[in-house]
Amino acid sequence: MDIAFIGLGNMGGPMALNLHRAGHAVRACDLSPDARARAADAGLVLADSPASAVQGARLVISMLPASRHVEALYFGDGAAPGLLDHLPAGTLVVDSSTIAAATSRRLAEAGRQRGVAVLDAPVSGGTAGAAAGTLTFMVGGEADALEQARPVLLQMGSNVFHAGAAGAGQAAKICNNLLLGVLMIGTSEALALGVANGLDPTVLSEIMRRSSGGNWALEKYNPYPGVMDGVPASRAYSGGFGTDLMLKDLGLAQDNAVQVGAATPLGSLARSLYAAHSLAGHGHLDFSSIVSLLQRADGDDAPF
Ligand code: NAD
């Protein structure tokens, strides 16, 4: 299938590559020269602009940082017209960015008026899941559009859930990331407490992983340096899921909680802690670097 893929960052790059390897004719696009160079080195065919990437494409997939990037891409930003103006009726759009549900609903409605079906399909599974093709997709939109997209989504992921109407995928995603943001801080706090008591973080991680504190961070994404290979903590928190992206998602969750009148006290505290971490200059590091806020800064891990 002819597919346009827009946004080749930590997630979009490996996702586009999996579609290329599955035999699709992928035309990829990103604003960043670094992302373009990495994609070209990996064998992807690059287009000069989103408008040229979508020429002849039946499916358009976007994987951008936040709502404002998605709005600029599809609705235009003053400098360039929006992509919706370039898409013929019958095109299917899958936006996998994590953005405000209201923006996803607005995009779906604007697409509907042009005969373009739009799904919000944010993902979970991290950069390792993107590379391995094992992501979980949480999809909002029309069921028949999802059935069209499903075979392609399953070439990038293992699980595809229909959460409900337009925007429902985003609602599911902020619930998941609220939980993830909180559990990463809780896991970091427990590990730092154990190390301050002279425990080996690897041994303590294994104890908690097999006990009632077991969770995804301990299974797949340990935040403590030196405990787990192949995770951001073992490469100075580079790559992965940026602190500023987690901060954005917890902000979306808080905005949404205000709208629907939900109480999210731990989500609110977690957002403040990631904000403090970002203000200290760590916004570009993987979110598991939040452990550094809770570790002794002098490196003397066991003071007694
Ligand atoms: P990233 O910052 O690594 O990549 C985003 C890319 O989009 C960048 O390369 C940027 O240049 C490009 N871009 C921005 N505006 C553009 C435009 N108008 N046209 C073309 N390219 C444009 O971000 P990421 O980590 O890949 O995350 C992407 C989305 O996925 C975010 O919404 C994030 O919250 C979500 N997400 C990330 C992870 C993760 O582990 N990194 C996991 C699940 C979901």
Side-chain angles (χ1 to χ4, degrees):
M1 188 190 294
D2 287 315
I3 299 175
F5 203 111
I6 297 152
L8 306 171
N10 290 330
M11 296 295 285
M15 290 165 72
L17 199 55
N18 279 334
L19 295 182
H20 168 72
R21 288 183 180 138
H24 297 289
V26 177
R27 283 163 65 82
C29 176
D30 196 293
L31 295 178
S32 141
D34 282 356
R36 295 171 62 81
R38 272 196 309 272
D41 285 350
L44 284 170
V45 176
L46 287 171
D48 291 340
S49 65
S52 88
V54 301
Q55 293 219 340
R58 283 174 53 207
L59 174 62
V60 177
I61 302 177
S62 45
M63 192 51 166
L64 304 180
S67 298
R68 66 190 167 88
H69 305 94
V70 174
E71 283 165 4
L73 177 69
Y74 288 102
F75 296 119
D77 59 2
L83 209 50
L84 279 182
D85 291 340
H86 293 275
L87 300 180
T91 310
L92 177 59
V93 169
V94 173
D95 178 48
S96 281
S97 326
T98 304
I99 61 170
T103 303
S104 294
R105 284 194 289 270
R106 190 176 148 228
L107 181 57
E109 176 54 24
R112 196 188 60 75
Q113 288 173 9
R114 293 165 169 81
V116 171
V118 180
L119 297 171
D120 48 296
V123 301
S124 178
T127 49
T134 57
L135 293 170
T136 293
F137 285 87
M138 312 165 199
V139 184
E142 299 291 335
D144 54 349
L146 170 55
E147 289 322 309
Q148 274 184 57
R150 189 184 292 274
V152 177
L153 300 184
L154 285 171
Q155 289 168 330
M156 298 181 283
S158 317
N159 300 297
V160 176
F161 292 105
H162 191 197
Q170 301 296 351
K173 174 67 182 171
I174 57 169
C175 294
N176 180 75
N177 274 26
L178 181 150
L179 179 57
L180 173 63
V182 169
L183 77 79
M184 186 57 81
I185 293 171
T187 303
S188 298
E189 192 172 303
L191 285 169
L193 176 65
V195 170
N197 278 281
L199 298 182
D200 179 332
T202 303
V203 174
L204 177 58
S205 292
E206 190 57 9
I207 291 170
M208 296 194 295
R209 188 176 79 81
R210 291 172 180 271
S211 304
S212 44
N215 67 58
W216 182 85
L218 290 170
E219 289 287 343
K220 301 217 162 122
Y221 215 93
N222 197 296
Y224 214 91
V227 172
M228 196 176 262
D229 288 335
V231 294
S234 69
R235 46 173 199 262
Y237 301 103
S238 62
F241 180 43
T243 294
D244 282 343
L245 289 177
M246 174 54 89
L247 186 54
K248 170 211 44 157
D249 290 359
L250 290 170
L252 291 172
Q254 290 310 296
D255 290 348
N256 182 264
V258 170
Q259 280 165 25
V260 301
T264 51
L266 293 182
S268 171
L269 177 57
R271 200 206 75 82
S272 291
L273 290 170
Y274 287 107
H277 191 49
S278 176
L279 287 171
H282 308 307
H284 62 293
L285 297 180
D286 180 76
F287 79 115
S288 65
S289 63
I290 193 77
V291 71
S292 66
L293 206 64
L294 306 157
Q295 281 171 299
R296 288 181 66 85
D298 59 11
D300 182 3
D301 277 340
F304 54 84

